[in-house]
Amino acid sequence: MTRTMTRYLRLAWFLGGVGLHRLATYRMDFVLGAGAFLVRVGIQTAVVGLVFRQVPAVGGWSYHEVLFLLGFSLLPRGLDHLFTDQLWELGRKLVQRGEFYRYLVRPVDPLFSLLSERFFHPDGLGELVVGAVLVGYAGSELGLSLSPVQWLLAPVLVLCGALLHTSVKLLFASLSFWTVTSMPAMYAANQVSEFSAYPLDIYHPSLKALLTWVLPFAFTAYVPCVYLLSGETGLLGWLPVVTAGALALALTVWRRGVNRYEMTGS
Amino acid sequence: MTARLRRYTPFATSGLQSLLQYRSMFAMTAMTAAAGAAVTVFLWRAVYAGTPGRGPGGFTVEDITTYLLVAQILQVLHTNRVDDEVAAEVYRGDVAVMLVRPVSYPVMRFFACLPVVGANAVLVGLPVLGLFTLLVPLTAPRPADLLLFTVSTVLSVLLAFCVNLLTGMTGFLTTNTWGVRMVKQSVVAFFAGQLVPLALMPGPLAALAKALPFRGMIDSPLTLLLGRYDGWAEAAGLVAQQLAWAVGLSLLCAALWRTALGRLEVLGG
């Protein structure tokens, strides 16, 4: 067991290095990719700024609180983006073009094999850096002082959020085993995740319920931020349950899909 | 002239046929459009929630809701896939095949995107509009304003085509057209007034947005739809500005396309 673990870790380390090497070769692509995220987040921040030019609070949230939420939402998203964006390729074309078999013939787990094809998407770095800067700035403006427990929990919250993003992406990408290409569905789910960058209190209750219990993006930013900003635990207890559930569901769908693919053998 | 234009009708019809094979695509586009609209609509409705009557920028709650919703629908009409298709064809070298045909590639692209725009309007725009009509109160436009809006929308589609063609042409320069497209999308959405109406921007930013061509894609049609103009002169001015930008950008596209072709190298002819 530990031997397989170390083997996978060493492989991931090595393949991550290969990914970094690509960074140096396609420097312009990296600059454009990371720059694109900077522009996108910059504009999102500008929109929040313009909203708060009109009113001091939205849905009970102040300007700096919303900035904190926006910044925090980028951390799990960026972390997920850094390692698992190869799933987009699965949803887009790997099944459609019959190229998926090549992940089944390698002596590692197919999911690892697929992700390892591009283990390091440097575009995600842009999101992580901007997210950290926004959280730091908004936190200091708010005079936020976290308790030791909150400091300890914060990285766990980010990690759980990243796993939630990954689960949803894996689930929708795996649908391509049945529908040939699931790119539009993945795109739609990704679009819905944008909701998590704003306080859920402003949305219609039905939408709020959807984001909490169906596509649980509320747990990637809103729930952790409520806890970090106010200390109220609220829905926080559900976070590990929802994360584990989403991950289990996504992996089941993935495994079923892979088995199905073997059967048709196309 | 008509004979020359008739050459392009097959591109329009074949575009429509290939489109109708992927009908589920429209359901997905509708879902993403509805999600996008919901984010901005709810955000701004929360701002206007405490102010009865006319709030910031002279909008009522219904006005701002209508503005943001129709802005999102216009954005769907502007997503004509010209940017990624041109970029991909240039990048793969497929564009060389097109050059052998006795048609102009940019004009061909324009005709091929028309059915996409039409289908998006009917299969995405109308259902999303219908859905939101059930959920939130909207402002009903005056008939004359609706007419002005229609004219303005046609021009905005033309503007979007030019902007997307220019974006696609960056495929001549870089392989990461995905990054370029993403930047374009964000910048255009912001300066067109899709996320924040130009009337709510602070002075210098609004002045900058008004000087750019993107305003004609969202803010101008909606200013006309909501009747937020002072007499016919201002309405005509808005349409004239759109027309001027459409002509200007078309000329720019034609000139750049020619220059780019002069430099094009395709391997393995």
Side-chain angles (χ1 to χ4, degrees), chain A residues 107-119:
Chain A
V108 283
D109 183 76
L111 185 57
F112 183 88
S113 177
L114 170 68
L115 295 181
S116 69
E117 192 136 294
R118 190 141 183 220
F119 237 143

Side-chain angles (χ1 to χ4, degrees), chain A residues 29 32-33 36-37 39-40 43 46-47 50-51 53-55 58 123 184-185 187-188 191-192 195 198 202-204 207, chain B residues 25 28 32 35 38-39 42-44 46-47 56 174-176 178-180 182-183 185-187 190 195-196 200-202:
Chain A
D29 278 7
L32 275 171
F37 276 106
V39 170
R40 230 172 74 115
I43 281 173
V47 171
L50 289 172
V51 164
R53 235 169 58 91
Q54 315 295 341
V55 281
V58 168
D123 299 359
Y187 189 73
Q191 197 74 10
V192 170
F195 281 102
Y198 299 102
I202 63 173
Y203 301 130
H204 195 271
L207 193 57
Chain B
M25 203 81 137
M28 287 304 165
T32 49
V39 172
F42 281 116
L43 187 62
W44 282 101
V47 171
T174 170
T175 49
N176 190 352
W178 175 85
V180 174
M182 191 125 141
V183 170
Q185 205 182 4
S186 307
V187 169
F190 185 74
L195 308 165
V196 180
L200 296 173
M201 290 184 182

Side-chain angles (χ1 to χ4, degrees), chain A residues 72-195:
Chain A
F72 190 92
S73 75
L74 294 174
L75 298 176
R77 191 193 290 276
L79 194 61
D80 161 64
H81 187 162
L82 213 47
F83 298 109
T84 69
D85 256 26
Q86 198 62 23
L87 289 172
W88 282 94
E89 293 294 296
L90 170 65
R92 195 164 69 91
K93 60 166 201 206
L94 289 178
V95 176
Q96 189 181 30
R97 300 196 187 159
E99 290 169 10
F100 183 74
Y101 72 90
R102 69 169 184 252
Y103 304 100
L104 299 172
V105 295
R106 291 178 191 166
V108 283
D109 183 76
L111 185 57
F112 183 88
S113 177
L114 170 68
L115 295 181
S116 69
E117 192 136 294
R118 190 141 183 220
F119 237 143
F120 194 75
H121 289 252
D123 299 359
L125 283 177
E127 284 172 293
L128 281 175
V129 170
V130 179
V133 169
L134 275 180
V135 166
Y137 166 74
S140 75
E141 286 290 312
L142 288 166
L144 193 68
S145 62
L146 298 181
S147 72
V149 183
Q150 283 176 319
W151 273 115
L152 275 176
L153 272 180
V156 182
L157 297 176
V158 173
L159 187 67
C160 281
L163 286 174
L164 273 173
H165 275 294
T166 308
S167 305
V168 173
K169 200 161 41 168
L170 178 62
L171 176 75
F172 281 92
S174 301
L175 291 183
S176 65
F177 288 116
W178 287 269
T179 61
V180 181
T181 171
S182 62
M183 181 77 174
M186 289 183 78
Y187 189 73
N190 188 50
Q191 197 74 10
V192 170
S193 77
E194 305 262 302
F195 281 102

Side-chain angles (χ1 to χ4, degrees), chain B residues 236-258:
Chain B
L238 281 173
V239 175
Q241 200 188 18
Q242 279 184 298
L243 194 64
W245 271 118
V247 172
L249 288 180
S250 305
L251 292 176
L252 181 67
C253 284
L256 283 180
W257 183 254
R258 240 171 240 175

Side-chain angles (χ1 to χ4, degrees), chain B residues 5-61:
Chain B
L5 280 184
R6 204 168 299 146
R7 263 188 231 162
Y8 293 97
T9 44
F11 293 106
T13 46
S14 79
L16 187 64
Q17 279 161 359
S18 68
L19 207 64
L20 291 177
Q21 284 180 352
Y22 297 99
R23 262 161 297 188
S24 64
M25 203 81 137
F26 290 106
M28 287 304 165
T29 315
M31 236 203 85
T32 49
V39 172
T40 52
V41 164
F42 281 116
L43 187 62
W44 282 101
R45 278 177 71 85
V47 171
Y48 282 77
T51 49
R54 296 198 176 275
F59 289 105
T60 61
V61 189

